């Protein structure tokens, strides 16, 4: 899956004033560290470059294209936690707050998104 493939170390320290408003992604697939870096970028008021947005869209499309319409979630261990998120309507900072509260997605920290992700709002 897209978010759990770790390619290279990448930390939020790499987001600085010089690249805050036109941030490019590192080469390779997106790892959890890169996702955290992107979240930090938006918290600081920055934005991704057009190339970075295109890369995320291409990787996301390739990943989702391989999945069925219905995905069954295995909750095989008592430690597995599930967060259900519904109707974000493009409210990026609400999503960041949810992730800060519930933790980054992982094999034992799963998320279910219930539609209406990006249909409104400045970040929609």
């Amino acid at each position: 899956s897209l978010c759990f493939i770790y390619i290279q170390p990448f930390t939020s320290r790499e987001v600085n004033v010089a690249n805050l408003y036109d941030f490019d992604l590192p080469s390779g697939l997106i790892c959890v560290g890169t996702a955290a870096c992107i979240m930090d970028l938006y918290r600081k008021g920055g934005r991704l470059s057009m190339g970075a947005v295109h890369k995320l869209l291409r990787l996301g499309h390739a990943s989702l294209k391989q999945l069925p319409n219905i995905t069954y979630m295995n909750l095989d261990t008592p430690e597995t936690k599930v967060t259900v998120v519904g109707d974000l309507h493009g409210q990026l900072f609400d999503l960041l707050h949810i992730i800060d509260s519930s933790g980054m997605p992982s094999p034992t920290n799963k998320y279910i998104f219930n539609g209406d992700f990006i249909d409104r709002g400045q970040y929609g």
Side-chain angles (χ1 to χ4, degrees):
S1 67
L2 182 66
C3 291
F4 305 114
I5 299 173
Y6 192 79
I7 299 299
Q8 62 188 45
F10 195 66
T11 67
S12 60
R13 290 187 298 260
E14 295 182 43
V15 175
N16 57 51
V17 176
N19 63 6
L20 188 61
Y21 298 110
D22 198 26
F23 187 78
D24 282 318
L25 295 173
S27 62
L29 297 174
I30 305 300
C31 65
V32 173
T34 303
C37 185
I38 293 168
M39 291 170 27
D40 190 48
L41 173 77
Y42 277 97
R43 282 188 190 97
K44 292 178 179 179
R47 66 175 183 230
L48 294 171
S49 69
M50 187 64 71
V53 171
H54 286 176
K55 178 179 180 174
L56 285 175
L57 290 172
R58 283 190 311 272
L59 289 172
H61 178 264
S63 178
L64 292 173
K65 190 168 94 172
Q66 297 175 19
L67 297 175
N69 287 342
I70 297 173
T71 302
Y72 294 94
M73 185 178 290
N74 189 3
L75 304 176
D76 52 356
T77 65
E79 301 84 35
T80 301
K81 179 176 139 184
V82 177
T83 301
V84 179
V85 181
D87 297 349
L88 284 171
H89 297 293
Q91 299 301 319
L92 177 63
F93 293 101
D94 289 351
L95 175 60
L96 294 176
H97 176 75
I98 291 166
I99 293 173
D100 287 343
S101 298
S102 296
M104 290 291 281
S106 73
T108 58
N109 190 28
K110 301 180 181 196
Y111 281 78
I112 297 174
F113 289 90
N114 188 28
D116 287 342
F117 312 123
I118 56 170
D119 58 343
R120 301 179 204 154
Q122 179 180 358
Y123 296 98

